[in-house]
Amino acid sequence: MFTIDDLADRLGGYLPSEEIQQVRRAFYYAEQAHDGQTRRSGEPYVTHPLAVANILANMHMDHQSLMAAMLHDVIEDTGVTRDAVATQFGEAVAGLVDGVSKLTQITFEDKAVAQAENFQKMVMAMSQDIRVIIVKLADRLHNMRTLGALRPDKKRRIARETLEIYARIAGRLGINTIRVELEDLSFQAIHPMRAERIKRAVARARGNRRSTMRQIQDSLQRRLDEDDLIGSVVGRQKHLLSIYRKMRDQRKPFAEIMDVFGFRIITDSVDNSYRILGAVHNLYKPVPGRFKDYIAIPKANGYQSLHTTLFGPSGMPVEVQIRTREMEAMANNGIAAHWLYKAGQTERPIAVGSHARAREWVRGLLEMQRHAGDSLEFIEHVKNDLFPDDVYIFTPKGDIMELPQGATAVDFAYSVHTDIGNSCIACRIDRHLAPLSTPLESGQTLEIITAPGARPNLAWLNFVITAKARSAIRHALKNQQRSEAVQLGRRLLNRALAGFDTSLETLPEGRLTMLLAEIDLNSEDDLLAGIGLGTRLAHATARRLVDTEPREEENERAEFRRLAESNGPIVINGSESMAISFARCCYPLPGDPVIGHLSIGKGIVVHRHDCGNLEELRDDPDKLVSLTWSNQIEQDFPVPLRIEIETRRGLIAELASLVTDADANIERIGIEERDVRLSIVNLTILVKGRIHLARIIKRLRNLNHIGRIVRARH
Ligand code: MN
């Protein structure tokens, strides 16, 4: 059995003895705290934290992470408090243990909204100290290795969560040794039969291929030696899940996937990496279009390497990766390589860049969380972010920008500069005009066309995917709302002034300034914004501007009545962002009969004419305004639906795809279970209007086992 002495021996290879002593102390503390507890296998509980620490030792993590690994379950599973850990082992270790405990309490159930909140908690815990997630990944890895005799359904649940969340985070942080093992263990737990079949096929194929592998490896190595190039050639194996994914996604037969021979060449310097590339291209012809230079342009998780594919003996494809020892350490350990150092070395020269990148990633997540409209939006972003396939775009000057997959020209514009984003009106992709919403692809050259005075468009929020663009657009729109309120205020005030045969432009000099001083406002815009928002009355303001004699203020209601009657119904087109808003009690849609309510501070609030809340408001008829819908409405409107449906797997996915197929978006989705059989789904979707909604409801009714569908009002 693996003991603390074995671990201490291993640590002797890279940690000073005082630090090893502290790790031992943490072990004994944990051993005592978990005394009497056992794992499912019957072993003493402390074997688990010891094994987690050992995983971290293999990655050469620092002593504080190892101590936290030893102690990671004591707060959660024994009576020990965070303070006690802090007193014994210091604040840093206590913080790590606390962070890991918080992560442990989070479970990611089926893909639902709850997941999003958990993600947020997770990001919070990580942002304190990125080592928290590294310890957590090691913990999860050991638990996956020892899934053992759990019930199959429970196994599958844990494996799915591991695959969806933890393996992806490991990948995003570049910790590939852990990612690969998590993926294979999860795959084996979810599809035991398929995994077994692939495993056996791989073993068989390996036997057949051995001599060919040897032959290619020898000729590569010989060529390096002849050219006096430092480098060692090793064979590469694909892991189970990657083979399975290739078979499933690319519909390739097993034989074809195994028909590729993979090698890695590790060398000492960047210069030699490129020299070796030249040498192997000289030995075997390269396959055109397959060369990738991740040394010049590292992947988002910090991965660096040269990739090329060659025509090997008798035309067999040979894939070669070439990189330095440091890049190899990064490729295996990613962010964890930051703590990697050799005994006697005080500097930790490796992967400082990767650490900065990881921090930047977590900071980006936090930013996103602050700006995301709701939890679903946030999780959508994080998921996007966990797919590490970024795209690389060239500026017209040839600079390279890195953007997440799915990014559009607007994302690009904002990543260059906020002002460019705010004023962009069109773009050219590879010199051709293209819509701003087109998702970008690696290698494209993108030119942004701007116009002075242009403003961001609300609709951009539907397709931008980077946090920076999203928050910048929101910010700009907010400013825009004020200027719209000012414009509306100007219109209302001029209309009122027209009743006195004057206008803002023709008022006697100084009249406005005098009024501003009287009512203690700083600027004309403040006054107009107040009118636009309904906090100040246009008619009363107009009267004060024309009458030098102070007179009793006219009744507010009379003014509202005049507004409502004299001008006929006000036409709403949905783009008035602030002066007109839509009630969140009855969610009016274009096509619904509606009525406006003048509400102090909010301007006109649009309700459905039969909204229950209007009953009270009807006591105040002067504040009601008749409204009609414009027939040119661009905006989408939220509408909540309450759907009764028979509980079954994949329910949400089915509803979601039906709604998206009908050109509507989902704003939020939640499930209340009524009983085992029946669920109530609360679904808020974005639609163009009544007719659009009717079409969607009709489609929903065609689903199997659907019960009542009600357009909810609160
Ligand atoms: Mn644990």
Side-chain angles (χ1 to χ4, degrees):
M1 199 177 75
F2 189 78
T3 65
I4 179 66
D5 292 327
D6 298 329
L7 178 68
D9 277 353
R10 180 162 293 169
L11 296 181
Y14 75 98
L15 285 182
S17 58
E18 323 79 81
E19 292 184 355
I20 300 178
Q21 201 44 44
Q22 292 186 60
V23 175
R24 271 185 186 275
R25 215 158 55 78
F27 169 80
Y28 294 125
Y29 190 92
E31 191 178 39
Q32 201 173 349
H34 289 295
D35 188 32
Q37 297 175 348
T38 52
R39 300 210 90 208
R40 269 192 319 276
S41 61
E43 290 173 299
Y45 193 87
V46 76
T47 56
H48 165 62
L50 181 63
V52 175
N54 186 40
I55 291 171
L56 296 175
N58 286 331
M59 297 160 70
H60 287 205
M61 285 296 291
D62 68 312
H63 70 294
Q64 291 182 333
S65 304
L66 290 160
M67 291 164 74
M70 292 294 187
L71 300 165
H72 79 268
D73 280 330
V74 299
I75 295 184
E76 183 79 359
D77 294 346
T78 77
V80 175
T81 62
R82 182 194 197 281
D83 283 351
V85 176
T87 318
Q88 281 293 322
F89 301 103
E91 197 39 53
V93 173
L96 287 172
V97 173
D98 192 40
V100 178
S101 304
K102 286 196 177 114
L103 288 187
T104 304
Q105 289 162 9
I106 300 174
T107 54
F108 295 89
E109 267 121 46
D110 281 328
K111 297 179 188 179
V113 185
Q115 213 186 47
E117 270 112 52
N118 285 330
F119 241 125
Q120 294 179 342
K121 286 188 207 142
M122 182 150 170
V123 172
M124 289 307 287
M126 277 196 278
S127 65
Q128 311 294 319
D129 187 332
I130 196 91
R131 288 178 297 179
V132 166
I133 193 66
I134 301 175
V135 176
K136 181 66 204 176
L137 287 170
D139 175 38
R140 177 52 67 113
L141 179 57
H142 185 244
N143 285 332
M144 286 300 296
R145 283 178 185 170
T146 52
L147 269 185
L150 267 187
R151 280 211 327 263
D153 59 325
K154 213 168 169 198
K155 252 191 203 174
R156 271 199 299 275
R157 190 189 67 72
I158 296 174
R160 273 215 189 84
E161 178 183 279
T162 303
L163 209 52
E164 282 264 313
I165 312 284
Y166 291 101
R168 276 192 199 163
I169 289 178
R172 189 61 180 73
L173 296 174
I175 313 176
N176 279 313
T177 45
I178 290 191
R179 176 186 60 88
V180 166
E181 196 179 339
L182 285 178
E183 285 185 351
D184 275 359
L185 290 169
S186 304
F187 176 48
Q188 290 174 66
I190 297 171
H191 297 302
M193 307 285 274
R194 292 175 214 187
E196 191 49 42
R197 266 207 307 278
I198 294 180
K199 230 197 240 170
R200 261 188 269 125
V202 168
R204 223 177 304 121
R206 221 163 259 170
N208 300 337
R209 287 155 31 106
R210 193 160 289 137
S211 69
T212 318
M213 279 295 274
R214 188 82 254 163
Q215 184 202 334
I216 302 174
Q217 185 170 350
D218 286 348
S219 36
L220 285 168
Q221 188 68 58
R222 205 160 339 115
R223 174 52 64 102
L224 297 193
D225 296 345
E226 281 164 15
D227 291 4
D228 276 332
L229 289 165
I230 298 169
S232 57
V233 184
V234 289
R236 232 157 28 83
Q237 309 292 355
K238 285 196 168 54
H239 71 290
L240 297 182
L241 184 61
S242 76
I243 295 174
Y244 174 66
R245 280 181 177 155
K246 276 213 167 86
M247 290 168 69
R248 189 193 56 190
D249 301 340
Q250 302 172 14
R251 301 191 173 281
K252 282 190 180 165
F254 178 79
E256 192 179 324
I257 293 164
M258 290 307 285
D259 209 15
V260 177
F261 294 82
F263 296 91
R264 179 171 302 141
I265 303 177
I266 309 296
T267 182
D268 61 339
S269 68
V270 171
D271 267 10
N272 274 337
S273 304
Y274 289 100
R275 281 196 197 104
I276 289 172
L277 178 75
V280 303
H281 278 184
N282 213 318
L283 177 65
Y284 298 121
K285 255 196 209 345
V287 177
R290 294 294 297 275
F291 169 63
K292 290 207 178 72
D293 185 348
Y294 293 119
I295 291 183
I297 307 171
K299 287 191 184 179
N301 61 14
Y303 175 87
Q304 287 187 294
S305 193
L306 300 176
H307 289 190
T308 188
T309 305
L310 312 165
F311 294 108
S314 38
M316 285 176 302
V318 174
E319 288 175 0
V320 181
Q321 302 177 344
I322 305 163
R323 53 191 180 235
T324 66
R325 272 191 295 279
E326 285 76 16
M327 292 171 192
E328 169 74 356
M330 259 306 291
N332 290 328
N333 296 322
I335 167 78
H338 177 69
W339 286 273
L340 185 76
Y341 65 110
K342 298 192 185 69
Q345 209 176 312
T346 43
E347 292 286 296
R348 298 177 186 185
I350 300 170
V352 176
S354 89
H355 191 235
R357 276 164 178 278
R359 291 208 149 279
E360 207 170 285
W361 178 58
V362 174
R363 223 193 25 240
L365 288 178
L366 284 174
E367 178 114 328
M368 230 181 261
Q369 182 179 337
R370 271 195 299 276
H371 295 297
D374 61 25
S375 308
L376 268 181
E377 187 179 297
F378 173 72
I379 200 161
E380 226 22 79
H381 283 306
V382 175
K383 282 220 170 126
N384 245 326
D385 213 60
L386 285 176
F387 288 104
D389 325 47
D390 289 341
V391 293
Y392 299 95
I393 303 299
F394 292 92
T395 68
K397 283 185 191 151
D399 293 334
I400 296 165
M401 306 283 296
E402 178 191 314
L403 290 163
Q405 183 119 56
T408 62
V410 175
D411 292 294
F412 175 91
Y414 277 105
S415 78
V416 176
H417 197 282
T418 307
D419 290 341
I420 297 188
N422 282 338
S423 58
C424 74
I425 51 164
C427 71
R428 281 197 191 93
I429 297 177
D430 292 334
R431 302 222 209 122
H432 296 291
L433 278 174
L436 286 171
S437 58
T438 315
L440 301 173
E441 282 165 33
S442 270
Q444 289 175 330
T445 299
L446 183 66
E447 184 192 343
I448 296 292
I449 302 164
T450 60
R455 291 186 308 189
N457 186 330
L458 187 67
W460 291 355
L461 289 175
N462 293 332
F463 59 74
V464 296
I465 69 159
T466 54
K468 188 174 181 198
R470 185 166 288 273
S471 62
I473 294 167
R474 288 234 165 89
H475 183 76
L477 286 174
K478 218 175 204 170
N479 290 340
Q480 196 175 321
Q481 279 169 353
R482 179 173 153 93
S483 76
E484 275 176 14
V486 169
Q487 277 175 30
L488 182 68
R490 183 183 302 277
R491 266 190 2 235
L492 289 171
L493 184 57
N494 266 330
R495 195 156 67 167
L497 285 169
F500 299 98
D501 286 332
T502 180
S503 71
L504 272 170
E505 288 66 38
T506 54
L507 274 176
E509 189 104 14
R511 230 2 256 141
L512 190 64
T513 329
M514 212 191 311
L515 177 70
L516 289 176
E518 274 169 36
I519 54 180
D520 203 22
L521 283 180
N522 290 326
S523 70
E524 182 180 350
D525 278 2
D526 285 348
L527 176 76
L528 296 175
I531 294 171
L533 292 177
T535 53
R536 196 169 287 287
L537 298 177
H539 190 74
T541 309
R543 178 174 295 285
R544 290 181 73 168
L545 280 169
V546 287
D547 266 10
T548 38
E549 297 286 309
R551 213 202 285 179
E552 201 181 312
E553 274 205 14
E554 199 176 340
N555 191 333
E556 288 183 10
R557 290 179 183 177
E559 157 135 17
F560 281 128
R561 170 137 314 282
R562 182 172 304 118
L563 185 70
E565 281 167 3
S566 63
N567 303 296
I570 293 175
V571 176
I572 39 180
N573 60 31
S575 71
E576 312 86 347
S577 31
M578 201 153 183
I580 292 186
S581 60
F582 300 91
R584 286 278 170 163
C585 46
C586 52
Y587 294 91
L589 293 181
D592 287 333
V594 286
I595 214 156
H597 174 244
L598 275 158
S599 160
I600 303 303
K602 288 193 196 155
I604 297 174
V605 182
V606 183
H607 291 264
R608 283 157 73 180
H609 79 297
D610 54 354
C611 172
N613 285 338
L614 276 180
E615 285 309 307
E616 292 167 35
L617 305 174
R618 280 189 205 281
D619 295 345
D620 227 355
D622 294 336
K623 289 201 168 182
L624 297 178
V625 185
S626 58
L627 301 172
T628 59
W629 295 97
S630 150
N631 42 21
Q632 282 163 345
I633 296 177
E634 296 286 322
Q635 199 190 336
D636 285 340
F637 292 79
V639 56
L641 299 176
R642 217 175 132 78
I643 303 168
E644 287 179 2
I645 189 164
E646 198 167 286
T647 311
R648 64 174 181 272
R649 288 183 72 82
L651 179 74
I652 294 289
E654 208 175 312
L655 282 176
S657 71
L658 189 141
V659 168
T660 11
D661 285 350
D663 281 332
N665 280 314
I666 295 182
E667 196 182 56
R668 64 180 338 118
I669 191 162
I671 303 193
E672 323 162 5
E673 215 155 315
R674 166 166 287 179
D675 52 50
V676 246
R677 211 180 44 79
L678 199 64
S679 297
I680 306 285
V681 179
N682 290 309
L683 182 69
T684 302
I685 55 178
L686 294 166
V687 298
K688 309 241 171 288
R690 247 180 114 91
I691 298 168
H692 189 194
L693 176 65
R695 210 171 70 222
I696 291 165
I697 290 182
K698 201 169 154 203
R699 286 199 190 195
L700 284 170
R701 287 204 202 284
N702 285 337
L703 279 179
N704 286 331
H705 312 295
I706 197 113
R708 293 199 312 153
I709 304 174
V710 182
R711 178 172 170 194
R713 60 174 71 206
H714 300 275

